[in-house]
Each structure stands twice: as C-alpha cells, then as structure tokens.
Amino acid sequence: MKVLKFGGTSVANAQNIKLVLDIVNQKAKQDQLVVVVSALSKVTDLLQLAAAKAAANDESFREVVAEIEKKHLDTLKELIPVSEQSSLLSHVKRIINHLETLLDGCFLLGELSPRTADTILSFGELLSSFIIAQAYQQISKDAVYKDSRELIKTDNNFGKAAVNFEVSNKLIQEYFAENKSRINILPGFIAQTLDGITSTLGRGGSDYTAAIIAGAIDAEQLEIWTDVNGMFTANPKIVKQAQPIANISYQEAMELSHFGAKVLYPPTIQPVLRKNIPILIKNTFEPEAEGTLISNQISSKDTVVKGISHIDHISLLTLEGSGMIGVAGSSRRLFEVLSQEKINVIFITQASSEHSICIGILNSDADNAEAAINRAFEIEISQNKIDPCYVEKDLCIIALVGENMKNHQGLSGRMFSTLGKNNVNIRAIAQGASERNISTVINERDVKKALNTLHENFFEENTKQLNLFVMGVGNVGEKFIEQIHNQRKFLKDNLKINVRVIALSNSRKMIFDEDGISLKNWDAALSEGEPASIEEFIKKAKELNLRNSIFVDITANATVSEAYEKFLKESIAVVTCNKIACSSAYDNYKKLKSLSRQYNAPFLFETNVGAGLPIIDTVKNLIASGDKVHKIQAVLSGSLNFIFNNFDENNSFHDVVKEAGVQGFTEPDPKIDLSGIDVARKILILIRESGYEMDIDAIANESFLPAECLATTNNDDFFASLIKHASHFENIYKEALAKDSRLKYVAQFENGKASVGLQFIPKNHPFYNLEGKDNIVLFYTDRYVDQPLLIKGAGAGAAVTASGIFADVIRIGNV
C-alpha cells in the first residue's frame, strides 16, 4: 500500500484536481492507495482571515466566507455532472453554514480561542476532501472517504497538537485491516482530541497526516505531491540555478526542511523514519519528472553538500557577562525562561569561555524574549555581573547541509571565505557534532547574495556569475557590450564564467534588470529607460546587492570617478578606463587602493594606459617580484601618434585631428589629448604603480599648442583655432623634416622627475618607426639595465580599449 499526499497547489482548483485524479487513477492500477489532501490553495489563509475579522467585530468576515463558499461550489460544479450536483451542493452549503455559525459566535463574543480556531481551520480540508472524494467516485466506485479525525488522536494543545501514537496507530491499523477499498481519501492537517474535539497538526500538517498513516500501516512508500520537482539544492525562487536533488537521506531532508525548505513539513519524516519507509516528492504538474527520494541510502559518491537552506525573520539574542563564567545553571535558566514563554529556539551558540551565549529566535518573539530574559536575570544585571539582553533583528540563518560533510575537511572555511569575498558579514556560527549542518547568521538583506554565492561555489561546477553595472555606452561601450554578447558562451563553456549586464547608463538614460539585460537590443531598451542619475545608479546597485558585482566605468567623467569609493565600500569591484581617479590627488589614489584591499573588491584600470596593452599588469608583476623601476620612456597616446603619423604636407593638422575623433582615437574633448594632460595622467599612473609618490602638477608639460587653442572652452572653438593656427603646426612639421626626424609625443620619468612633450625623434631611436596608433613603453629596472623591457602595440581605438576592459572583467572572474 502507498500513501499519496496532495498539497494545496495541487488541489487549487478543478483543473488541478483533474490532474490529481489522473495520477491517482493510474497509480491505483498497481497499488492500493491512501490519498491525503490539503485544503484548496489559499483557503486556510481565508479561514484565518475570517476568524480574525470576526473576533475583531468586523462584519466583513461574511464577505470572506462568501468567497470561500464560491470557491468550493465553483470547483464542485466543474468536477461533478449537473445531474448529480444537487445533494452535493447542499452538503457543501451545510458545512459553510456551520462555519458561519462558529464565526458568528466569535463575532458576538469578540474573541477567538485556540480551540475554536482549530475547528474553524479544519473546514478547509473537510471541504476539499469531500469534493475530491465525490469527484473520484465519478471515475471509480472503489473509493471511499474517511474522516482523519476518527483515526488520529492528539492532546489538547490546539494549534499544533501532539499526536498520541499509541491510540492513533491502533485505530489506523484496525481501520485499514477491515477496509479493502482500492482508494481511501482523507483530509490532512486535522485530528481530534481523545474527548472528541477537533485539533490541528500545525501549518503543513497534511504531510504529517500522511506520514502518520504511512508509519502505522507500514506503507511501501509515502509520496508527497506538490508544485515543484522535489527538494532543491536551494530555494529556486531565490537561486535560479538551483537543481532538484535526486536522492537524499532522512537526516539531510530533516535539516533542509527545518531550515525553510517548504516542500516538506519538518515533523513528516519522523513517523516513516522509524519504519524506514521511503518518501518520494513529486510534481503534480510534471508527474514524469524524477522527483526526490528520501531514504536511509547514502552513497559515498553523493555530493558532499546536498543543499543550502535558510530561515528569514530571525533575531539574535545575546546574553553575556563575567557573572556567567563558571556559574552552573546559567544556560538552564535562560532556556527555562524561553520555554515558559513558549518561544522556540532555532539557533544556539556559546563561547567556550562561557562569557556569552547567543540564541536565534523569530523576530516576532524577540521583544517578549528580551523582556523575559531581563526579568529572569534582573539581580545579576543590577549588580553588573551580566549585561542586559542584547537584541539584533532582521537577520537570517543560512545552513549548509550534507550527510558526507563530516568526511571532508575545509568546508567551513570554504563557506566563510565565499561569503567574506562578497562582503556578507557573519554574525554567529553554529555546527553540530554530527557536522551535518553548518549554520550562520547574516543580515537579512544579504540572503539572496549569500545563497547564490554559496550555490555557485558548491553546485555549479565552479561557474562564477559576474554581474556588471556599466556606465558609458559610447564608441568603447558599444564595442564592450558587443564583445560580451559574442563571447558569453565561450566564457561559460571554457572559463566557467557567466557574465550578465545588470545595468546600463549613458548621460541621459539608464536601465536595470536583475535577471540580466538582453544584449541583442540593449540600445532600444536604454532609450526607453529612466532618467540617468549617478546617485540613483549607485543606490540601485547597492539595493540589488548581487554577488560578484562589478561597476564598469567607460566614461571620462570626473563625477563618475568620484563614485568609486562608494562602490568599493559595498564590495563592488571597479573596472575603469577613466584615468581621472588614478591620476587625482595621490591621497585619493592610495585611498582607493586601500579600500579595494579592505573590502576585497578588485580595482582594475589596465586601460588607463595603453588601451588593451598589458602595461600596468606588467609593472605590478615587476614590483611584486622585487624589481625596481628607475626610468620610463614612452609614447602613451595612440591618438597623438596617429595624428603625427598622418600629419604631412597633404593633410592639415585640423583634418587629421578630426579624423582621429571619427576613428574613436581621441577623447570626446580632443583637447584633453592634444594638451598633453591625457599623457601626463598616463605617465603619472605608471609612476605611481612603480612605487613612487607623485602628483600631476609635478610633471612638466611642454605643450605644442598655441595659447589661444588651449584657452578654448568647447570643441567648435577648438577646431576653429586649429585652422587659425595652421601655419604654427606646419612649421613644426617642416622643422622635423629638416632634422630628418619624426614627431612623437613622449612621456619620461627618471631620477624622480617626469615630463611630457612633443619631441623630434631621430632614425636610430626605438620610437622612430612607431606606426599608426601604436604605443610603446620602455622600462629600465634593476633587472632590465642595458636593454629595457619593451611593450608595444595598438594604444587607441574603441575595440582594443573595450578588449582591455573585458580582460579586467575576466581577471576578476578568475580570482
């Protein structure tokens, strides 16, 4: 014999009930069945609402009753042929009338006792089981209805009654010994005291009803039919990558169900565990899915961690003080107080010094618990031997569960390290001696990030999800998004990195999508976005609180660069091609580097110098390996190199600068490049990364631009000034020809001094043959004395700059 239980969503309406009837009909061909059903979906909530309204003298409870009546009558009418409805509809109405009479009593008295509440809540299962039994009898007459209250007896603890197993098992066994019907349909959740008063087994008690019956009759199997494909490695509503668990032990299932895996009511397992009866969790809406089998079979090949679960709305209470050290009975007194107040303790941890003890309870119990504890330890508190109870609310418990965890070292460290890397602060830790469960208390706002981070680490083949917040979608930004779109599959398959763009912003609009923005038509979506605001951008990134978040700055905006500090303090990594931050005041540069280390948030800016060339990374590796940089010579502006390589007697200086802008080689304001400030920023960054302290005003900038060009305030005036001073630039070019040299804009650092400026480069110099938009850097170090370390390649252009930004993102993914 098998016991099948169908939950509220499985019997939510007539359409779903028809699916249930099909499942039962198919299984009845092979086995004798006990079918336990819950109330129709949401009916128990409606009954609670009606009772609360009635007790509060709110006449609108009648509207709720009318809604309950309509829901059941509509369901019955759709399931039963019209010719047979009359008597059944009358029966349902009589039950509803009885319900309304009870609620009238609550209304008149203005109160709702636990006993009356149980009776009222029982109507949901009584109605659903009656309708489902009648519906199945349209298919087969070999089906009977049995009221569970006649079989399951409890104490008088209304609301969550304790089962009298001795009496209940005897009644169940006697009934099924005599009854040979192929199918027995019973209401779940409800029971009866020994003196005949209706009681309930607690929310989720229908699972428990089924387990009690299964245990009593030594059922072959208990099947829990619900709306998901079994127990999952994490809550699939929070962790979209969560996977169904095929096999799990009783103990693991109990741990997961205790910590919020709502697919199974925690007490369900105990009655079948004693009899070694397997539990199969199946999906009513996908009956062909494998589901989850709960048994005592544990394979050594099973994954070490079976699941990650959590409990929301937790408060942490801490009692501490020297008056607890070595004093016998302190813990007993604490738990006795909570027991007297009927407060359930979910989490316990105590320091080995006995100086403090922490307990986790529900937020709703926190105020009552705090007052009771302070009363119980009033004398010790007044004598300053113990501090008043300290309460922290709005926390969450996360649990890592697995039967095989005890056989593997380092799981706790791996768990805590994973959380720490994403700035999830751990408030308390508990681990049982069985090592089947590692529990931590964290801030409730971090639960989504924590669950996803842990799931990624323990279940997703080390696939790391990177969540990008991108600001700036001009030439470089467009190429960057294009590269992500084209390479996503390669990254996932080969590097185990899943890149999602969560936010995009330009100077006018911004959009956010927690599930990732579609990169096929991102530009159209952005045009319909909300007004851009750096403050709102930062606020939303913080509120989303996603794991492995990266802020990508593809602007040249000073205000945006000032936001890096805020991102880093939230453990959000920063990748930028914007040179302003790293070339700002030295103290600010050092602060950003320090924040990066403090909050474990990478701060990468490879594209600040040389676009996609690995210049900064090379310097970092030199310094890390103990080398010392003494001298730097470089052509660091791809745009200026392009300009001077193409400026000749046939192409005016103005036209070449214009073309450089069209090609995307210059900044939006080309004067930044031509004034030398861009090159000065780049050499400054290299100097700082080489270990020297310097500010921008210490770099000599020998401008080749006339004063009038430098004084312009907009691009139109700037280009007009280039035309006006065309002869000035022609003279520079002629001078280079006369010296048989080429014009290169060179940055230099030696003996603590730095300069940038236009130079005439002779034929024998390494810079002479530097073509197109290429950059070149020469490093003279302790190890590279006579022959410098040389890095050369494309130093400008949207595609190469985007690739450099992309490379920094991948570096973070590989950390």
Side-chain angles (χ1 to χ4, degrees):
M1 187 180 291
K2 289 184 178 180
V3 179
L4 280 61
K5 177 264 174 178
F6 291 91
T9 52
S10 297
V11 295
N13 50 49
Q15 183 180 354
N16 291 5
I17 291 172
K18 289 175 183 178
L19 297 175
V20 170
L21 298 179
D22 286 342
I23 292 168
V24 172
N25 195 41
Q26 290 300 317
K27 287 189 169 288
K29 294 175 181 178
Q30 285 85 36
D31 299 288
Q32 187 179 1
L33 304 179
V34 179
V35 178
V36 178
V37 297
S38 297
L40 305 189
S41 182
K42 306 299 180 185
V43 166
T44 304
D45 292 336
L46 290 173
L47 289 166
Q48 280 187 320
L49 178 62
K53 285 178 175 288
N57 297 120
D58 183 347
E59 285 272 9
S60 65
F61 80 86
R62 302 187 194 281
E63 298 172 8
V64 181
V65 173
E67 184 180 347
I68 294 170
E69 180 178 15
K70 183 178 185 303
K71 188 177 183 73
H72 288 91
L73 292 178
D74 289 348
T75 302
L76 190 148
K77 288 174 183 176
E78 193 171 337
L79 292 169
I80 306 296
V82 175
S83 60
E84 300 183 32
Q85 287 181 8
S86 180
S87 62
L88 302 180
L89 292 172
S90 297
H91 182 80
V92 170
K93 289 180 178 178
R94 282 195 297 274
I95 295 175
I96 295 293
N97 289 339
H98 184 196
L99 168 65
E100 195 158 14
T101 300
L102 286 171
L103 291 169
D104 279 332
C106 294
F107 181 82
L108 292 171
L109 294 171
E111 68 175 18
L112 178 66
S113 68
R115 171 176 165 172
T116 304
D118 267 11
T119 303
I120 290 170
L121 294 180
S122 71
F123 280 83
E125 272 71 16
L126 290 172
L127 285 164
S128 67
S129 58
F130 170 76
I131 292 171
I132 292 168
Q134 295 300 321
Y136 193 78
Q137 284 173 3
Q138 304 299 313
I139 301 172
S140 170
K141 297 301 180 183
D142 196 11
V144 297
Y145 172 79
K146 182 65 175 175
D147 190 335
S148 303
R149 293 177 296 184
E150 298 174 16
L151 303 179
I152 301 177
K153 302 300 178 180
T154 71
D155 63 12
N156 295 324
N157 183 22
F158 297 104
K160 196 173 183 180
V163 175
N164 184 323
F165 279 98
E166 183 179 352
V167 174
S168 299
N169 287 344
K170 185 173 183 294
L171 290 170
I172 294 167
Q173 289 161 3
E174 288 175 352
Y175 170 76
F176 284 102
E178 296 174 4
N179 189 289
K180 301 302 180 183
S181 297
R182 196 70 178 166
I183 299 169
N184 288 269
I185 298 174
L186 298 89
F189 176 59
I190 61 174
Q192 197 176 73
T193 64
L194 292 173
D195 50 356
I197 308 301
T198 297
S199 58
T200 65
L201 304 177
R203 291 299 293 266
S206 292
D207 286 0
Y208 196 23
T209 301
I212 293 166
I213 295 172
I217 63 174
D218 292 317
E220 177 189 342
Q221 185 168 269
L222 168 60
E223 297 183 6
I224 306 293
W225 288 81
T226 181
D227 58 355
V228 292
N229 293 334
M231 299 189 85
F232 277 69
T233 49
N235 185 339
K237 292 180 180 178
I238 299 176
V239 181
K240 294 190 175 179
Q241 289 77 30
Q243 310 147 14
I245 304 170
N247 294 280
I248 191 169
S249 72
Y250 292 116
Q251 289 77 15
E252 290 169 330
M254 278 194 284
E255 293 281 5
L256 286 175
S257 61
H258 172 70
F259 280 91
K262 295 179 175 57
V263 72
L264 189 67
Y265 182 54
T268 301
I269 297 169
Q270 204 58 47
V272 294
L273 171 60
R274 289 193 292 264
K275 297 290 187 72
N276 195 23
I277 298 169
I279 304 172
L280 180 62
I281 300 174
K282 295 279 284 180
N283 189 345
T284 303
F285 309 101
E286 290 185 43
E288 69 284 353
E290 183 179 3
T292 297
L293 182 66
I294 304 171
S295 67
N296 65 358
Q297 299 299 315
I298 304 171
S299 170
S300 59
K301 295 181 180 179
D302 281 353
T303 55
V304 178
V305 177
K306 275 296 180 69
I308 307 163
S309 200
H310 73 289
I311 306 176
D312 289 322
H313 312 307
I314 295 295
S315 289
L316 196 64
L317 277 62
T318 303
L319 191 67
E320 65 179 2
S322 57
M324 296 175 63
I325 300 174
V327 178
S330 295
S331 298
R332 179 192 61 79
R333 288 172 62 195
L334 173 62
F335 294 114
E336 193 173 70
V337 168
L338 297 172
S339 177
Q340 290 169 353
E341 297 294 327
K342 296 187 176 179
I343 295 171
N344 183 39
V345 177
I346 302 170
F347 176 98
I348 305 167
T349 184
Q350 183 173 17
S352 58
S353 65
E354 300 182 45
H355 182 259
S356 69
I357 184 169
C358 293
I359 57 169
I361 62 175
L362 293 175
N363 279 340
S364 55
D365 292 327
D367 293 339
N368 185 24
E370 179 185 14
I373 292 169
N374 285 339
R375 283 196 304 271
F377 290 88
E378 184 176 4
I379 295 174
E380 289 89 345
I381 292 172
S382 66
Q383 295 173 347
N384 294 321
K385 292 181 178 179
I386 293 178
D387 297 333
C389 179
Y390 178 66
V391 180
E392 297 172 86
K393 294 184 178 180
D394 300 321
L395 302 174
C396 169
I397 300 175
I398 286 186
L400 211 64
V401 173
E403 191 71 40
N404 289 326
M405 283 165 47
K406 58 181 173 288
N407 300 319
H408 288 77
Q409 296 178 341
L411 284 177
S412 298
R414 184 175 167 189
M415 178 184 186
F416 304 144
S417 173
T418 300
L419 294 174
K421 285 179 180 178
N422 275 275
N423 199 31
V424 177
N425 187 34
I426 296 172
R427 306 292 305 119
I429 301 166
Q431 183 173 10
S434 68
E435 297 185 47
R436 191 182 292 123
N437 177 320
I438 306 171
S439 301
T440 63
V441 179
I442 65 171
N443 194 303
E444 203 164 63
R445 72 181 290 269
D446 289 327
V447 65
K448 182 174 183 179
K449 177 163 67 173
L451 286 174
N452 277 278
T453 301
L454 291 172
H455 193 274
E456 183 178 80
N457 191 288
F458 286 99
F459 291 101
E460 296 176 35
E461 297 182 353
N462 292 322
T463 296
K464 190 171 187 177
Q465 182 169 288
L466 304 181
N467 296 299
L468 309 188
F469 296 79
V470 181
M471 183 162 284
V473 286
N475 291 337
V476 177
E478 285 185 1
K479 291 294 183 183
F480 175 67
I481 295 168
E482 180 184 322
Q483 289 172 9
I484 291 175
H485 181 56
N486 292 338
Q487 289 298 108
R488 283 183 68 178
K489 187 176 186 304
F490 174 86
L491 293 175
K492 198 166 185 178
D493 293 346
N494 294 276
L495 300 183
K496 302 299 181 185
I497 296 174
N498 180 26
V499 181
R500 300 191 311 172
V501 176
I502 303 300
L504 285 172
S505 178
N506 57 25
S507 59
R508 300 175 303 281
K509 299 283 187 177
M510 64 182 187
I511 53 172
F512 285 77
D513 188 335
E514 187 175 351
D515 296 325
I517 296 167
S518 171
L519 300 185
K520 288 183 179 179
N521 56 353
W522 64 269
D523 47 351
L526 183 58
S527 67
E528 299 295 324
E530 60 186 286
S533 162
I534 182 63
E535 293 79 13
E536 282 299 310
F537 194 94
I538 296 169
K539 180 182 176 183
K540 290 195 175 185
K542 289 169 64 175
E543 287 174 352
L544 285 173
N545 197 25
L546 299 176
R547 68 195 187 280
N548 306 323
S549 292
I550 305 173
F551 173 62
V552 183
D553 178 13
I554 316 180
T555 75
N557 188 291
T559 303
V560 175
S561 72
E562 291 166 3
Y564 298 171
E565 178 180 346
K566 295 176 182 177
F567 285 111
L568 293 172
K569 285 182 176 178
E570 294 295 323
S571 290
I572 297 175
V574 174
V575 169
T576 179
C577 63
N578 185 345
K579 293 174 278 291
I580 295 175
C582 288
S583 60
S584 62
Y586 184 77
D587 288 344
N588 185 59
Y589 161 81
K590 292 297 288 183
K591 180 173 70 173
L592 293 176
K593 301 275 279 191
S594 175
L595 289 172
S596 172
R597 292 189 294 271
Q598 181 181 347
Y599 291 95
N600 197 33
F603 175 42
L604 301 181
F605 43 90
E606 182 65 74
T607 49
N608 277 197
V609 181
L613 293 176
I615 298 173
I616 292 176
D617 199 48
T618 300
V619 174
K620 286 180 178 178
N621 291 334
L622 287 174
I623 301 305
S625 67
D627 204 352
K628 185 175 178 61
V629 176
H630 299 289
K631 178 181 176 181
I632 304 171
Q633 285 185 309
V635 173
L636 293 173
S637 174
S639 54
L640 285 174
N641 200 43
F642 174 87
I643 289 167
F644 286 114
N645 279 337
N646 288 278
F647 171 44
D648 55 28
E649 61 272 10
N650 299 316
N651 298 287
S652 71
F653 191 76
H654 166 273
D655 291 346
V656 175
V657 173
K658 273 281 190 182
E659 179 61 23
V662 171
Q663 295 286 340
F665 299 152
T666 66
E667 299 287 347
D669 177 3
K671 191 169 66 173
I672 294 174
D673 294 286
L674 273 70
S675 67
I677 185 63
D678 187 61
V679 176
R681 287 171 176 165
K682 290 178 179 179
I683 190 66
L684 176 65
I685 292 167
L686 287 184
I687 292 166
R688 288 174 170 179
E689 290 296 300
S690 298
Y692 296 93
E693 181 176 341
M694 183 176 285
D695 277 308
I696 195 83
D697 54 11
I699 299 175
N701 187 346
E702 302 158 6
S703 178
F704 67 91
L705 290 176
E708 184 178 346
C709 297
L710 288 170
T712 57
T713 57
N714 57 67
N715 284 358
D716 289 342
D717 290 347
F718 178 71
F719 279 110
S721 72
L722 295 184
I723 295 173
K724 182 178 178 180
H725 293 278
S727 59
H728 168 78
F729 302 111
E730 290 171 3
N731 290 334
I732 295 175
Y733 174 72
K734 289 176 181 177
E735 185 178 354
L737 284 179
K739 293 180 177 180
D740 199 20
S741 299
R742 284 188 172 181
L743 293 169
K744 302 292 177 186
Y745 201 88
V746 178
Q748 296 184 125
F749 169 74
E750 188 174 13
N751 297 324
K753 295 182 178 181
S755 65
V756 296
L758 191 63
Q759 293 186 15
F760 299 100
I761 301 298
K763 286 185 176 180
N764 61 348
H765 196 282
F767 295 172
Y768 184 84
N769 290 313
L770 193 65
E771 299 296 336
K773 58 183 182 301
D774 285 359
N775 281 188
I776 187 169
V777 185
L778 308 179
F779 289 107
Y780 294 86
T781 73
D782 283 348
R783 296 171 189 156
Y784 296 90
V785 182
D786 298 323
Q787 292 295 324
L789 173 62
L790 184 152
I791 301 171
K792 178 182 177 182
V800 292
T801 304
S803 69
I805 297 168
F806 202 170
D808 274 348
V809 169
I810 301 308
R811 283 189 184 95
I812 293 173
N814 286 327
V815 171

